[in-house]
Amino acid sequence: MNEAAPIPAQPRTLLLNGEDNIAVALGNLEVGMTTAQDATIIRRVPRGHKFAIRPIAAGEAIRKFGQIIGFAKTDIAVGDWVHEHNCGIGEEHGAFARDYAFSEGVVPTQYVPKEFQATFQGYRRANGKVGTRNYVGILTSVNCSTTVAGFIATEIERSGILNDYPNIDGIVALKQANGCVIDYRGVIFDTLKRTTWGYATNPNMGGVVMVGLGCEGFQIPRFKDAYKVEESETFRTMTIQEVGGTRKTVDAGVEAVKAMLPIVNSVKRETVPASELMLALQCGGSDGYSGITANPALGVAADILVRNGGTAILSETPEIYGAEHLLTRRAVSREVGEKLVGIIHWWEDYAERNLMEMNNNPSPGNKQGGLTTILEKSLGAAAKGGTSPLTAVYGYAEPVTEKGFVFMDTPGYDPVSATGQVAGGANILCFTTGRGSAYGCKPTPSIKIATNSEIYAKMIDDMDINGGDVLDGKSLEAKGQEIFDRILEVASGDKSKSELLGYGDNEFVPWQIGATF
């Protein structure tokens, strides 16, 4: 007697909002499968991608998270794969319009009483700020001095002298590819000056040596004058031309670093409140799970930090495009909300002037992972910002002075974006990824959070936290608490995976905006 063929298990899918007309495949869906939404698959749907659960007419809005992620280019049948072949951002039927309501129903933050605030072990600086790391940085004013900066750092590391100073996390040469043919009255100079000074004064820096060539547009004397800074035991500057060439400058730089090591090492970790943390929120190599698992879980962690009096910085302006109307509703004032909208309009104009469009983002890897339009990607990316009120909006690399949830205008390119956040004062960073971005960030430690269990297992040496277990039933609240706890551990000195691998020397990438002559 033949046994009956086993009944195949219903494929795993996820409907995110009752208003959605698509659902997400949690595994590969083959033709003929019937899902929990009573949709019979008519075209193969890769995991992380979307399929229609209702008929969608050409020109009709396609909804995910209860929000518009695009418009149907053609009629889409139930069970069909929904991706870039049949979904766009509305070019065929009119541009996507958003309702910019401001400060609509903002719920004030319920702060944890100070006596119950979370704490970590940090380095209290003389100016009151707190670092999570204690680095010596070799900064450069121009690409011509980057090789010398690297030589200085290499000589210090090769000498083994850092072994005598256990409270120093290391030395990092922050090399940059600009600084020469720029106008000191222009936006490039202002941006580079602000970024460089932000790194020099980041609380994770214990000492700084700045090296220039001498004839560049980004003159060190102008830089020092702009910030009224003078040479000190922990801040030294020199130029190759003035010192007398490469070898002499390397020797002078090494001696300058050696002289400041005892001073930098003298600081000790102490118990400080989590309100001293400034968390940079980043995502890269996003996929169809990013907005479902790791990003909203990081948003929960950001909210916990805000309730403990800390600061969380959301950035990557092109990757909130299409979701910014949700952020304006959380703005503490109309002025804050309108500042964000003004930045969005600048980016629209910037893309048009450069013969591009905002939907050039997502990347090919994002699309392979299931993301179709910038609107969809942005809704997931904005989830990193949690639900707290938006207290301030900053320009690139501007010092972040407000507590709570804030936004900084940056490009979507991760190293450039994170550079702006660290220049703004971020002393800890969380980076979510679905495709498996390889990233680190000295002097600010980066915690990597995988959006799915497959990439977590495959890249276990790179990933700190698995967000994929949210798909297996772990709540976003529990995952957010796990992330927050890990933030405190890393802030207290525990090494993140990217630190253990040695990442972070090549991720200083200031935004080059404006004309280069």
Side-chain angles (χ1 to χ4, degrees):
M1 182 175 177
N2 294 329
E3 293 184 5
I7 299 173
Q10 193 172 64
R12 296 180 67 206
T13 60
L14 184 62
L15 178 64
L16 294 167
N17 188 288
E19 296 183 6
D20 293 351
N21 49 15
I22 59 93
V24 179
L26 300 185
N28 295 327
L29 302 183
E30 306 298 339
V31 174
M33 286 182 169
T34 299
T35 73
Q37 298 79 28
D38 292 325
T40 300
I41 300 303
I42 62 174
R43 185 174 356 191
R44 186 178 187 275
V45 183
R47 70 180 185 87
H49 287 242
K50 303 169 291 295
F51 62 95
I53 61 172
R54 292 194 291 273
I56 306 173
E60 184 180 346
I62 297 173
R63 293 182 178 273
K64 181 181 178 183
F65 308 109
Q67 299 290 327
I68 295 173
I69 65 165
F71 297 86
K73 294 180 179 179
T74 62
D75 291 343
I76 303 175
V78 172
D80 199 0
W81 178 35
V82 177
H83 203 33
E84 56 185 328
H85 61 282
N86 55 13
C87 175
I89 63 170
E91 303 94 331
E92 303 86 354
H93 306 282
F96 173 49
R98 277 87 79 204
D99 172 21
Y100 291 137
F102 299 101
S103 308
E104 191 177 82
V106 175
V107 179
T109 299
Q110 299 296 312
Y111 292 103
V112 175
K114 287 190 176 182
E115 61 269 26
F116 298 115
Q117 276 187 11
T119 61
F120 70 102
Q121 299 298 306
Y123 295 108
R124 177 76 69 177
R125 302 300 183 186
N127 62 4
K129 294 182 179 180
V130 175
T132 64
R133 294 294 182 268
N134 191 30
Y135 272 95
V136 173
I138 314 298
L139 299 181
T140 58
S141 65
V142 65
N143 63 296
C144 303
S145 60
T146 58
T147 298
V148 165
F151 286 163
I152 294 170
T154 298
E155 285 300 314
I156 291 293
E157 290 171 342
R158 183 183 299 156
S159 72
I161 193 173
L162 291 178
N163 294 331
D164 298 330
Y165 300 99
N167 293 331
I168 297 177
D169 288 288
I171 184 168
V172 56
L174 297 167
K175 306 173 183 180
Q176 53 101 359
N178 205 335
C180 184
V181 284
I182 60 175
D183 188 338
Y184 73 90
R185 299 159 296 188
V187 65
I188 296 181
F189 180 85
D190 288 341
T191 304
L192 186 55
K193 175 186 68 178
R194 194 166 62 238
T195 306
T196 304
W197 182 242
Y199 266 70
T201 56
N202 186 287
N204 289 354
M205 284 292 197
V208 167
V209 175
M210 187 172 183
V211 182
L213 177 62
C215 56
E216 60 270 22
F218 184 36
Q219 287 283 302
I220 291 178
R222 286 199 184 106
F223 168 82
K224 291 163 68 175
D225 182 65
Y227 292 103
K228 308 301 180 199
V229 62
E230 297 180 355
E231 305 276 321
S232 69
E233 292 179 317
T234 55
F235 183 79
R236 294 284 307 279
T237 67
M238 60 189 67
T239 63
I240 298 169
Q241 292 167 351
E242 183 177 300
V243 174
T246 297
R247 291 187 183 277
K248 291 177 182 178
T249 307
V250 172
D251 290 342
V254 168
E255 291 306 311
V257 171
K258 287 182 176 179
M260 65 176 63
L261 289 179
I263 302 162
V264 176
N265 187 69
S266 64
V267 66
K268 302 283 195 303
R269 287 189 183 271
E270 60 183 78
T271 302
V272 291
S275 57
E276 298 293 349
L277 287 174
M278 188 178 292
L279 171 67
L281 305 169
Q282 282 290 321
C283 60
S286 300
D287 67 356
Y289 300 126
S290 294
I292 301 170
T293 61
N295 286 357
L298 179 53
V300 171
D303 284 342
I304 296 172
L305 177 60
V306 169
R307 290 198 298 272
N308 278 271
T311 306
I313 312 171
L314 181 66
S315 297
E316 301 176 289
T317 310
E319 297 181 11
I320 65 156
Y321 184 77
E324 76 275 8
H325 60 294
L326 303 178
L327 296 177
T328 63
R329 285 163 166 74
R330 292 162 54 187
V332 295
S333 69
R334 186 180 185 91
E335 180 183 13
V336 169
E338 287 183 337
K339 187 173 182 180
L340 180 61
V341 173
I343 288 172
I344 291 291
H345 291 331
W346 182 92
W347 274 94
E348 290 174 327
D349 179 66
Y350 181 61
E352 185 176 353
R353 282 188 283 114
N354 287 278
L355 304 179
M356 300 178 74
E357 62 178 53
M358 298 300 287
N359 202 40
N360 284 338
N361 190 336
S363 70
N366 295 152
K367 292 178 180 180
Q368 290 174 13
L371 296 175
T372 301
T373 68
I374 186 57
L375 310 181
E376 179 185 12
K377 183 176 181 179
S378 293
L379 288 165
K384 300 192 304 294
T387 60
S388 299
L390 178 64
T391 60
V393 174
Y394 294 94
Y396 185 82
E398 287 183 346
V400 174
T401 56
E402 290 288 333
K403 294 285 191 178
F405 170 59
V406 305
F407 185 84
M408 176 181 286
D409 178 31
T410 75
Y413 181 42
D414 312 318
V416 179
S417 179
T419 295
Q421 292 173 318
V422 174
N427 55 10
I428 192 82
L429 186 151
C430 280
F431 190 116
T432 68
T433 182
R435 304 290 292 173
S437 292
Y439 181 80
C441 185
K442 293 177 182 177
T444 295
S446 172
I447 300 168
K448 301 290 286 297
I449 307 166
T451 72
N452 62 83
S453 298
E454 288 78 8
I455 201 66
Y456 176 76
K458 184 181 292 186
M459 297 182 65
I460 189 66
D461 292 333
D462 294 79
M463 300 296 144
D464 296 275
I465 295 173
N466 179 23
D469 54 9
V470 169
L471 298 176
D472 299 321
K474 187 163 188 174
S475 71
L476 287 172
E477 290 72 22
K479 181 56 65 174
Q481 185 65 55
E482 178 186 339
I483 294 171
F484 180 71
D485 292 342
R486 186 60 184 150
I487 289 171
L488 296 179
E489 292 169 351
V490 172
S492 298
D494 201 11
K495 299 294 185 184
S496 69
K497 293 287 186 69
S498 65
E499 288 182 291
L500 292 172
L501 288 169
Y503 275 97
D505 292 279
N506 302 306
E507 284 78 6
F508 176 69
V509 191
W511 190 7
Q512 296 187 25
I513 182 172
T516 300
F517 294 94

